[in-house]
Amino acid sequence: MKIILLLLSVVIYLGANTFEQAKSEFRNGNKAKAIKLLKQSCKNKHIESCGILGDLYRKGDGVKRNMLQSLNFYHKACAGKDAESCFNLGQIYRFDDGVKKNHAKSVTYFSKACDLKLGKACFNLGRMFETGDLVKRNGKKAYDFYIKASKTGETRSLYSLGNMYRKGDFVKQDSRVALEYYRGSCNSGEVDGCYAVGLMYVQGDGIPKDERKAFNIFKAGCNHYNDKAHCS
């Protein structure tokens, strides 16, 4: 058992070393050599190398675009717990990016990425279950995925949670909880969250009406995030 572990550590070390060589070749503009080294590195269990190869074959960057090759490398990277590669597989199967759409596989790979704490994957799943996009509409699952996303720092989920509480969709309607989520969204750079906070103060939606506070929030959001859609 110890010999197997030792051999495995040597293989992983070789993969990491080859990866560094590949990065050097990329910096020097030698893409063909860099890609060859990445393949060696991926073969030696260096997960990041596999993910990068998936990206390159998907974009046709330095190689001829080949989605079967891209999928092959993404699958290897995802199996090695590379969250971005799992997410990319979810996107590919969701949007028919060079391969046949497969809704079940899309959800599977987004779920794997979410389990690896990739916020955008959790957010995607929340949106899908909230709207019934590719899956049966399920408010509890939508809420749970938004909560998971928010814990990773995915700020869009805060706005979505605010909407749920403001409208009473799948949760008990609570304007004050909605306001807190909108504030969190706004403070994190989401202009829609700022707009929602201001609108609640304008309308007195479950909170005391305060047009001055609303104006200041709108103004701050416009100045800080330079959002023409909400500032015109």
Side-chain angles (χ1 to χ4, degrees), residues 138-152:
N138 187 316
K140 185 181 184 307
K141 285 187 177 181
Y143 177 84
D144 289 345
F145 280 121
Y146 283 146
I147 290 292
K148 283 185 179 181
S150 70
K151 289 179 179 178
T152 70

Side-chain angles (χ1 to χ4, degrees), residues 2-60:
K2 287 183 179 179
I3 294 174
I4 293 172
L5 290 174
L6 179 61
L7 289 172
L8 183 60
S9 65
V10 169
V11 168
I12 293 171
Y13 169 78
L14 290 172
N17 188 49
T18 309
F19 176 67
E20 291 303 318
Q21 294 175 39
K23 288 200 296 186
S24 177
E25 294 298 337
F26 268 119
R27 285 193 293 269
N28 293 330
N30 301 324
K31 280 191 177 181
K33 189 171 182 180
I35 290 167
K36 186 177 180 180
L37 288 166
L38 282 175
K39 287 180 179 179
Q40 291 176 18
S41 182
C42 176
K43 189 175 180 180
N44 287 328
K45 311 297 183 186
H46 190 267
I47 300 306
E48 189 177 351
S49 297
C50 302
I52 291 171
L53 285 165
D55 292 338
L56 294 174
Y57 275 101
R58 185 181 182 187
K59 298 171 185 174

Side-chain angles (χ1 to χ4, degrees), residues 68 71-72 75 78 85-96 99-114 121 124-125 128 133-135:
L68 290 179
L71 286 174
N72 175 49
H75 278 296
C78 180
S85 292
C86 298
F87 177 81
N88 288 336
L89 286 168
Q91 291 285 79
I92 289 169
Y93 285 118
R94 182 182 183 186
F95 294 114
D96 186 23
V99 297
K100 188 177 180 181
K101 280 186 182 181
N102 188 315
H103 300 168
K105 284 187 177 181
S106 178
V107 172
T108 294
Y109 287 110
F110 281 146
S111 296
K112 286 186 178 184
C114 180
N124 273 15
L125 287 165
M128 289 165 73
D133 177 19
L134 309 184
V135 294

